[in-house]
mmCIF file of all heavy atoms in Angstrom:
data_model
loop_
_atom_site.group_PDB
_atom_site.id
_atom_site.type_symbol
_atom_site.label_atom_id
_atom_site.label_comp_id
_atom_site.label_asym_id
_atom_site.label_seq_id
_atom_site.Cartn_x
_atom_site.Cartn_y
_atom_site.Cartn_z
ATOM 1 N N PRO A 1 -30.556 0.848 -12.400
ATOM 2 C CA PRO A 1 -30.235 2.003 -13.245
ATOM 3 C C PRO A 1 -31.131 2.119 -14.467
ATOM 4 O O PRO A 1 -31.242 3.201 -15.057
ATOM 5 C CB PRO A 1 -28.777 1.739 -13.657
ATOM 6 C CG PRO A 1 -28.608 0.259 -13.537
ATOM 7 C CD PRO A 1 -29.477 -0.153 -12.378
ATOM 8 N N ASP A 2 -31.794 1.014 -14.864
ATOM 9 C CA ASP A 2 -32.665 1.048 -16.032
ATOM 10 C C ASP A 2 -34.117 1.350 -15.662
ATOM 11 O O ASP A 2 -35.019 1.241 -16.496
ATOM 12 C CB ASP A 2 -32.595 -0.273 -16.794
ATOM 13 C CG ASP A 2 -32.864 -1.480 -15.886
ATOM 14 O OD1 ASP A 2 -33.309 -1.268 -14.737
ATOM 15 O OD2 ASP A 2 -32.623 -2.609 -16.326
ATOM 16 N N ASN A 3 -34.332 1.706 -14.372
ATOM 17 C CA ASN A 3 -35.667 2.069 -13.866
ATOM 18 C C ASN A 3 -36.672 0.920 -13.892
ATOM 19 O O ASN A 3 -37.883 1.143 -13.746
ATOM 20 C CB ASN A 3 -36.245 3.257 -14.662
ATOM 21 C CG ASN A 3 -35.431 4.528 -14.468
ATOM 22 O OD1 ASN A 3 -34.990 4.817 -13.363
ATOM 23 N ND2 ASN A 3 -35.219 5.269 -15.550
ATOM 24 N N ARG A 4 -36.197 -0.294 -14.078
ATOM 25 C CA ARG A 4 -37.092 -1.444 -13.986
ATOM 26 C C ARG A 4 -37.409 -1.704 -12.520
ATOM 27 O O ARG A 4 -36.674 -1.299 -11.630
ATOM 28 C CB ARG A 4 -36.441 -2.669 -14.624
ATOM 29 C CG ARG A 4 -36.300 -2.579 -16.146
ATOM 30 C CD ARG A 4 -35.332 -3.618 -16.682
ATOM 31 N NE ARG A 4 -35.749 -4.969 -16.332
ATOM 32 C CZ ARG A 4 -34.986 -6.048 -16.529
ATOM 33 N NH1 ARG A 4 -33.766 -5.913 -17.041
ATOM 34 N NH2 ARG A 4 -35.441 -7.238 -16.215
ATOM 35 N N PRO A 5 -38.544 -2.397 -12.232
ATOM 36 C CA PRO A 5 -38.901 -2.656 -10.838
ATOM 37 C C PRO A 5 -37.887 -3.575 -10.155
ATOM 38 O O PRO A 5 -37.230 -4.374 -10.790
ATOM 39 C CB PRO A 5 -40.272 -3.330 -10.938
ATOM 40 C CG PRO A 5 -40.576 -3.525 -12.373
ATOM 41 C CD PRO A 5 -39.509 -2.900 -13.192
ATOM 42 N N GLY A 6 -37.794 -3.422 -8.840
ATOM 43 C CA GLY A 6 -36.900 -4.268 -8.059
ATOM 44 C C GLY A 6 -35.627 -3.533 -7.672
ATOM 45 O O GLY A 6 -35.314 -2.455 -8.196
ATOM 46 N N MET A 7 -34.908 -4.115 -6.724
ATOM 47 C CA MET A 7 -33.671 -3.537 -6.221
ATOM 48 C C MET A 7 -32.513 -4.478 -6.536
ATOM 49 O O MET A 7 -32.689 -5.696 -6.665
ATOM 50 C CB MET A 7 -33.762 -3.332 -4.702
ATOM 51 C CG MET A 7 -34.973 -2.519 -4.252
ATOM 52 S SD MET A 7 -34.824 -0.760 -4.662
ATOM 53 C CE MET A 7 -33.687 -0.234 -3.365
ATOM 54 N N ILE A 8 -31.304 -3.927 -6.656
ATOM 55 C CA ILE A 8 -30.102 -4.726 -6.895
ATOM 56 C C ILE A 8 -29.033 -4.328 -5.886
ATOM 57 O O ILE A 8 -29.053 -3.221 -5.343
ATOM 58 C CB ILE A 8 -29.566 -4.557 -8.327
ATOM 59 C CG1 ILE A 8 -29.319 -3.077 -8.635
ATOM 60 C CG2 ILE A 8 -30.533 -5.171 -9.335
ATOM 61 C CD1 ILE A 8 -28.688 -2.846 -10.000
ATOM 62 N N ASP A 9 -28.102 -5.247 -5.634
ATOM 63 C CA ASP A 9 -27.069 -4.996 -4.622
ATOM 64 C C ASP A 9 -25.797 -4.412 -5.220
ATOM 65 O O ASP A 9 -24.686 -4.673 -4.757
ATOM 66 C CB ASP A 9 -26.757 -6.279 -3.847
ATOM 67 C CG ASP A 9 -26.454 -7.456 -4.764
ATOM 68 O OD1 ASP A 9 -26.321 -7.244 -5.989
ATOM 69 O OD2 ASP A 9 -26.368 -8.594 -4.257
ATOM 70 N N VAL A 10 -25.958 -3.596 -6.263
ATOM 71 C CA VAL A 10 -24.846 -2.918 -6.920
ATOM 72 C C VAL A 10 -25.237 -1.455 -7.137
ATOM 73 O O VAL A 10 -26.373 -1.165 -7.514
ATOM 74 C CB VAL A 10 -24.517 -3.561 -8.287
ATOM 75 C CG1 VAL A 10 -23.342 -2.845 -8.944
ATOM 76 C CG2 VAL A 10 -24.215 -5.041 -8.131
ATOM 77 N N LEU A 11 -24.281 -0.548 -6.898
ATOM 78 C CA LEU A 11 -24.508 0.871 -7.168
ATOM 79 C C LEU A 11 -23.730 1.239 -8.426
ATOM 80 O O LEU A 11 -22.505 1.115 -8.467
ATOM 81 C CB LEU A 11 -24.036 1.729 -6.001
ATOM 82 C CG LEU A 11 -24.132 3.249 -6.202
ATOM 83 C CD1 LEU A 11 -25.580 3.680 -6.420
ATOM 84 C CD2 LEU A 11 -23.527 3.982 -5.013
ATOM 85 N N TYR A 12 -24.451 1.672 -9.472
ATOM 86 C CA TYR A 12 -23.818 2.036 -10.734
ATOM 87 C C TYR A 12 -23.600 3.543 -10.803
ATOM 88 O O TYR A 12 -24.414 4.331 -10.329
ATOM 89 C CB TYR A 12 -24.683 1.589 -11.913
ATOM 90 C CG TYR A 12 -24.629 0.099 -12.156
ATOM 91 C CD1 TYR A 12 -25.548 -0.747 -11.558
ATOM 92 C CD2 TYR A 12 -23.638 -0.455 -12.968
ATOM 93 C CE1 TYR A 12 -25.500 -2.122 -11.765
ATOM 94 C CE2 TYR A 12 -23.578 -1.821 -13.181
ATOM 95 C CZ TYR A 12 -24.508 -2.651 -12.581
ATOM 96 O OH TYR A 12 -24.447 -4.009 -12.779
ATOM 97 N N TYR A 13 -22.472 3.924 -11.454
ATOM 98 C CA TYR A 13 -22.141 5.330 -11.639
ATOM 99 C C TYR A 13 -22.330 5.715 -13.106
ATOM 100 O O TYR A 13 -22.511 4.861 -13.977
ATOM 101 C CB TYR A 13 -20.709 5.592 -11.174
ATOM 102 C CG TYR A 13 -20.494 5.239 -9.721
ATOM 103 C CD1 TYR A 13 -19.968 3.996 -9.351
ATOM 104 C CD2 TYR A 13 -20.851 6.128 -8.712
ATOM 105 C CE1 TYR A 13 -19.793 3.663 -8.017
ATOM 106 C CE2 TYR A 13 -20.679 5.803 -7.374
ATOM 107 C CZ TYR A 13 -20.153 4.559 -7.031
ATOM 108 O OH TYR A 13 -19.996 4.231 -5.714
ATOM 109 N N THR A 14 -22.266 7.012 -13.385
ATOM 110 C CA THR A 14 -22.571 7.495 -14.729
ATOM 111 C C THR A 14 -21.581 6.999 -15.784
ATOM 112 O O THR A 14 -21.912 6.943 -16.966
ATOM 113 C CB THR A 14 -22.590 9.031 -14.749
ATOM 114 O OG1 THR A 14 -21.344 9.538 -14.239
ATOM 115 C CG2 THR A 14 -23.731 9.564 -13.889
ATOM 116 N N ASP A 15 -20.366 6.630 -15.376
ATOM 117 C CA ASP A 15 -19.378 6.148 -16.349
ATOM 118 C C ASP A 15 -19.468 4.641 -16.563
ATOM 119 O O ASP A 15 -18.646 4.062 -17.289
ATOM 120 C CB ASP A 15 -17.964 6.524 -15.914
ATOM 121 C CG ASP A 15 -17.560 5.888 -14.581
ATOM 122 O OD1 ASP A 15 -18.414 5.250 -13.929
ATOM 123 O OD2 ASP A 15 -16.388 6.041 -14.186
ATOM 124 N N GLY A 16 -20.447 3.986 -15.923
ATOM 125 C CA GLY A 16 -20.608 2.548 -16.088
ATOM 126 C C GLY A 16 -19.896 1.710 -15.049
ATOM 127 O O GLY A 16 -20.102 0.489 -14.978
ATOM 128 N N SER A 17 -19.033 2.335 -14.246
ATOM 129 C CA SER A 17 -18.377 1.600 -13.161
ATOM 130 C C SER A 17 -19.374 1.391 -12.027
ATOM 131 O O SER A 17 -20.476 1.960 -12.036
ATOM 132 C CB SER A 17 -17.143 2.357 -12.661
ATOM 133 O OG SER A 17 -17.520 3.619 -12.127
ATOM 134 N N ALA A 18 -18.997 0.587 -11.050
ATOM 135 C CA ALA A 18 -19.956 0.237 -9.998
ATOM 136 C C ALA A 18 -19.241 -0.095 -8.701
ATOM 137 O O ALA A 18 -18.015 -0.304 -8.672
ATOM 138 C CB ALA A 18 -20.807 -0.950 -10.451
ATOM 139 N N SER A 19 -20.010 -0.149 -7.623
ATOM 140 C CA SER A 19 -19.463 -0.510 -6.321
ATOM 141 C C SER A 19 -20.493 -1.317 -5.546
ATOM 142 O O SER A 19 -21.674 -1.372 -5.905
ATOM 143 C CB SER A 19 -19.071 0.737 -5.519
ATOM 144 O OG SER A 19 -20.224 1.500 -5.181
ATOM 145 N N VAL A 20 -20.024 -1.954 -4.485
ATOM 146 C CA VAL A 20 -20.908 -2.701 -3.590
ATOM 147 C C VAL A 20 -20.620 -2.257 -2.159
ATOM 148 O O VAL A 20 -19.543 -1.732 -1.863
ATOM 149 C CB VAL A 20 -20.693 -4.230 -3.711
ATOM 150 C CG1 VAL A 20 -21.086 -4.722 -5.092
ATOM 151 C CG2 VAL A 20 -19.239 -4.610 -3.409
ATOM 152 N N GLU A 21 -21.590 -2.446 -1.288
ATOM 153 C CA GLU A 21 -21.420 -2.100 0.126
ATOM 154 C C GLU A 21 -21.857 -3.275 0.981
ATOM 155 O O GLU A 21 -22.951 -3.806 0.810
ATOM 156 C CB GLU A 21 -22.230 -0.870 0.495
ATOM 157 C CG GLU A 21 -22.017 -0.429 1.951
ATOM 158 C CD GLU A 21 -22.815 0.810 2.306
ATOM 159 O OE1 GLU A 21 -24.010 0.862 1.944
ATOM 160 O OE2 GLU A 21 -22.261 1.715 2.950
ATOM 161 N N CYS A 22 -20.973 -3.664 1.893
ATOM 162 C CA CYS A 22 -21.234 -4.801 2.777
ATOM 163 C C CYS A 22 -21.371 -4.323 4.217
ATOM 164 O O CYS A 22 -20.636 -3.433 4.658
ATOM 165 C CB CYS A 22 -20.094 -5.817 2.685
ATOM 166 S SG CYS A 22 -20.254 -7.244 3.794
ATOM 167 N N THR A 23 -22.312 -4.910 4.944
ATOM 168 C CA THR A 23 -22.473 -4.654 6.374
ATOM 169 C C THR A 23 -22.367 -5.975 7.117
ATOM 170 O O THR A 23 -23.015 -6.956 6.760
ATOM 171 C CB THR A 23 -23.843 -4.019 6.677
ATOM 172 O OG1 THR A 23 -23.924 -2.756 6.024
ATOM 173 C CG2 THR A 23 -24.025 -3.819 8.178
ATOM 174 N N VAL A 24 -21.505 -5.993 8.123
ATOM 175 C CA VAL A 24 -21.375 -7.157 9.000
ATOM 176 C C VAL A 24 -21.964 -6.789 10.349
ATOM 177 O O VAL A 24 -21.645 -5.732 10.905
ATOM 178 C CB VAL A 24 -19.905 -7.587 9.154
ATOM 179 C CG1 VAL A 24 -19.779 -8.685 10.220
ATOM 180 C CG2 VAL A 24 -19.343 -8.088 7.827
ATOM 181 N N GLU A 25 -22.839 -7.635 10.859
ATOM 182 C CA GLU A 25 -23.446 -7.419 12.168
ATOM 183 C C GLU A 25 -23.061 -8.564 13.093
ATOM 184 O O GLU A 25 -23.213 -9.733 12.741
ATOM 185 C CB GLU A 25 -24.962 -7.336 12.053
ATOM 186 C CG GLU A 25 -25.658 -7.101 13.404
ATOM 187 C CD GLU A 25 -27.156 -6.947 13.255
ATOM 188 O OE1 GLU A 25 -27.605 -5.858 12.852
ATOM 189 O OE2 GLU A 25 -27.882 -7.929 13.530
ATOM 190 N N ILE A 26 -22.555 -8.208 14.254
ATOM 191 C CA ILE A 26 -22.169 -9.188 15.281
ATOM 192 C C ILE A 26 -23.026 -8.940 16.512
ATOM 193 O O ILE A 26 -23.136 -7.806 16.989
ATOM 194 C CB ILE A 26 -20.673 -9.060 15.637
ATOM 195 C CG1 ILE A 26 -19.805 -9.378 14.406
ATOM 196 C CG2 ILE A 26 -20.309 -9.987 16.792
ATOM 197 C CD1 ILE A 26 -18.322 -9.179 14.647
ATOM 198 N N ARG A 27 -23.630 -9.995 17.008
ATOM 199 C CA ARG A 27 -24.459 -9.886 18.213
ATOM 200 C C ARG A 27 -23.875 -10.764 19.317
ATOM 201 O O ARG A 27 -23.429 -11.885 19.089
ATOM 202 C CB ARG A 27 -25.891 -10.322 17.910
ATOM 203 C CG ARG A 27 -26.634 -9.407 16.959
ATOM 204 C CD ARG A 27 -28.075 -9.842 16.777
ATOM 205 N NE ARG A 27 -28.154 -11.138 16.104
ATOM 206 C CZ ARG A 27 -28.264 -11.274 14.779
ATOM 207 N NH1 ARG A 27 -28.285 -10.203 14.009
ATOM 208 N NH2 ARG A 27 -28.354 -12.463 14.240
ATOM 209 N N LYS A 28 -23.915 -10.224 20.529
ATOM 210 C CA LYS A 28 -23.476 -10.978 21.709
ATOM 211 C C LYS A 28 -24.304 -10.492 22.897
ATOM 212 O O LYS A 28 -24.163 -9.342 23.323
ATOM 213 C CB LYS A 28 -21.978 -10.783 21.983
ATOM 214 C CG LYS A 28 -21.456 -11.654 23.118
ATOM 215 C CD LYS A 28 -19.948 -11.525 23.274
ATOM 216 C CE LYS A 28 -19.447 -12.447 24.390
ATOM 217 N NZ LYS A 28 -17.978 -12.318 24.585
ATOM 218 N N GLY A 29 -25.157 -11.362 23.391
ATOM 219 C CA GLY A 29 -26.049 -10.952 24.464
ATOM 220 C C GLY A 29 -26.990 -9.868 23.984
ATOM 221 O O GLY A 29 -27.648 -10.011 22.960
ATOM 222 N N GLU A 30 -27.002 -8.756 24.701
ATOM 223 C CA GLU A 30 -27.866 -7.639 24.339
ATOM 224 C C GLU A 30 -27.182 -6.632 23.431
ATOM 225 O O GLU A 30 -27.797 -5.665 22.989
ATOM 226 C CB GLU A 30 -28.339 -6.924 25.624
ATOM 227 C CG GLU A 30 -29.140 -7.801 26.578
ATOM 228 C CD GLU A 30 -30.428 -8.297 25.940
ATOM 229 O OE1 GLU A 30 -31.070 -7.508 25.219
ATOM 230 O OE2 GLU A 30 -30.778 -9.477 26.145
ATOM 231 N N GLU A 31 -25.897 -6.839 23.149
ATOM 232 C CA GLU A 31 -25.146 -5.872 22.355
ATOM 233 C C GLU A 31 -25.095 -6.269 20.886
ATOM 234 O O GLU A 31 -25.065 -7.458 20.542
ATOM 235 C CB GLU A 31 -23.712 -5.740 22.881
ATOM 236 C CG GLU A 31 -23.582 -4.919 24.153
ATOM 237 C CD GLU A 31 -22.124 -4.548 24.412
ATOM 238 O OE1 GLU A 31 -21.664 -3.523 23.876
ATOM 239 O OE2 GLU A 31 -21.462 -5.290 25.146
ATOM 240 N N THR A 32 -25.038 -5.252 20.023
ATOM 241 C CA THR A 32 -24.900 -5.448 18.584
ATOM 242 C C THR A 32 -23.839 -4.494 18.054
ATOM 243 O O THR A 32 -23.810 -3.312 18.422
ATOM 244 C CB THR A 32 -26.229 -5.184 17.852
ATOM 245 O OG1 THR A 32 -27.222 -6.096 18.327
ATOM 246 C CG2 THR A 32 -26.059 -5.371 16.350
ATOM 247 N N TYR A 33 -22.983 -5.012 17.212
ATOM 248 C CA TYR A 33 -21.931 -4.202 16.589
ATOM 249 C C TYR A 33 -22.049 -4.349 15.079
ATOM 250 O O TYR A 33 -21.988 -5.456 14.549
ATOM 251 C CB TYR A 33 -20.558 -4.655 17.078
ATOM 252 C CG TYR A 33 -19.371 -4.023 16.398
ATOM 253 C CD1 TYR A 33 -19.392 -2.700 15.950
ATOM 254 C CD2 TYR A 33 -18.196 -4.752 16.209
ATOM 255 C CE1 TYR A 33 -18.298 -2.128 15.329
ATOM 256 C CE2 TYR A 33 -17.085 -4.184 15.594
ATOM 257 C CZ TYR A 33 -17.143 -2.879 15.152
ATOM 258 O OH TYR A 33 -16.058 -2.309 14.536
ATOM 259 N N ARG A 34 -22.249 -3.213 14.384
ATOM 260 C CA ARG A 34 -22.388 -3.216 12.929
ATOM 261 C C ARG A 34 -21.282 -2.367 12.296
ATOM 262 O O ARG A 34 -20.934 -1.311 12.815
ATOM 263 C CB ARG A 34 -23.753 -2.653 12.505
ATOM 264 C CG ARG A 34 -24.911 -3.570 12.816
ATOM 265 C CD ARG A 34 -26.248 -2.873 12.561
ATOM 266 N NE ARG A 34 -26.401 -2.451 11.177
ATOM 267 C CZ ARG A 34 -26.921 -3.204 10.202
ATOM 268 N NH1 ARG A 34 -27.336 -4.437 10.487
ATOM 269 N NH2 ARG A 34 -27.040 -2.743 8.977
ATOM 270 N N GLN A 35 -20.765 -2.873 11.183
ATOM 271 C CA GLN A 35 -19.749 -2.132 10.446
ATOM 272 C C GLN A 35 -20.066 -2.248 8.955
ATOM 273 O O GLN A 35 -20.316 -3.346 8.441
ATOM 274 C CB GLN A 35 -18.345 -2.694 10.708
ATOM 275 C CG GLN A 35 -17.230 -2.022 9.946
ATOM 276 C CD GLN A 35 -16.972 -0.605 10.429
ATOM 277 O OE1 GLN A 35 -16.978 -0.342 11.631
ATOM 278 N NE2 GLN A 35 -16.752 0.323 9.496
ATOM 279 N N SER A 36 -20.069 -1.104 8.254
ATOM 280 C CA SER A 36 -20.346 -1.098 6.819
ATOM 281 C C SER A 36 -19.159 -0.533 6.059
ATOM 282 O O SER A 36 -18.502 0.417 6.515
ATOM 283 C CB SER A 36 -21.588 -0.248 6.510
ATOM 284 O OG SER A 36 -22.738 -0.791 7.134
ATOM 285 N N THR A 37 -18.894 -1.117 4.890
ATOM 286 C CA THR A 37 -17.782 -0.687 4.057
ATOM 287 C C THR A 37 -18.157 -0.864 2.591
ATOM 288 O O THR A 37 -18.825 -1.831 2.237
ATOM 289 C CB THR A 37 -16.516 -1.527 4.343
ATOM 290 O OG1 THR A 37 -16.220 -1.486 5.728
ATOM 291 C CG2 THR A 37 -15.318 -0.984 3.582
ATOM 292 N N TRP A 38 -17.750 0.042 1.742
ATOM 293 C CA TRP A 38 -17.988 -0.090 0.313
ATOM 294 C C TRP A 38 -16.692 -0.429 -0.408
ATOM 295 O O TRP A 38 -15.597 -0.231 0.110
ATOM 296 C CB TRP A 38 -18.588 1.193 -0.251
ATOM 297 C CG TRP A 38 -17.579 2.302 -0.423
ATOM 298 C CD1 TRP A 38 -17.109 3.137 0.552
ATOM 299 C CD2 TRP A 38 -16.912 2.653 -1.630
ATOM 300 N NE1 TRP A 38 -16.178 4.000 0.038
ATOM 301 C CE2 TRP A 38 -16.036 3.734 -1.315
ATOM 302 C CE3 TRP A 38 -16.949 2.179 -2.938
ATOM 303 C CZ2 TRP A 38 -15.219 4.321 -2.270
ATOM 304 C CZ3 TRP A 38 -16.129 2.781 -3.894
ATOM 305 C CH2 TRP A 38 -15.290 3.840 -3.556
ATOM 306 N N ARG A 39 -16.838 -0.940 -1.620
ATOM 307 C CA ARG A 39 -15.665 -1.286 -2.429
ATOM 308 C C ARG A 39 -16.026 -1.191 -3.910
ATOM 309 O O ARG A 39 -17.068 -1.687 -4.331
ATOM 310 C CB ARG A 39 -15.187 -2.705 -2.124
ATOM 311 C CG ARG A 39 -13.884 -3.098 -2.818
ATOM 312 C CD ARG A 39 -13.511 -4.535 -2.469
ATOM 313 N NE ARG A 39 -12.164 -4.869 -2.899
ATOM 314 C CZ ARG A 39 -11.846 -5.276 -4.116
ATOM 315 N NH1 ARG A 39 -12.792 -5.387 -5.039
ATOM 316 N NH2 ARG A 39 -10.600 -5.580 -4.422
#
């Protein structure tokens, strides 16, 4: 949010609050199952 170089794993909002988003990936054989959720 301060425009400095690099990325962070937090999303900040205009009121100063923030959230995170997690993705879980499960692989079995040739199949892959991904699920993403924010909090």
Side-chain angles (χ1 to χ4, degrees):
D2 53 11
N3 295 320
R4 291 165 58 189
M7 306 288 283
I8 55 176
D9 51 9
V10 181
L11 176 61
Y12 285 92
Y13 301 96
T14 55
D15 62 354
S17 62
S19 66
V20 295
E21 183 179 45
C22 177
T23 297
V24 172
E25 180 177 282
I26 297 176
R27 293 184 294 268
K28 186 175 182 181
E30 299 298 320
E31 284 194 86
T32 299
Y33 173 34
R34 289 172 60 89
Q35 178 69 42
S36 298
T37 306
W38 76 280
R39 186 181 191 276

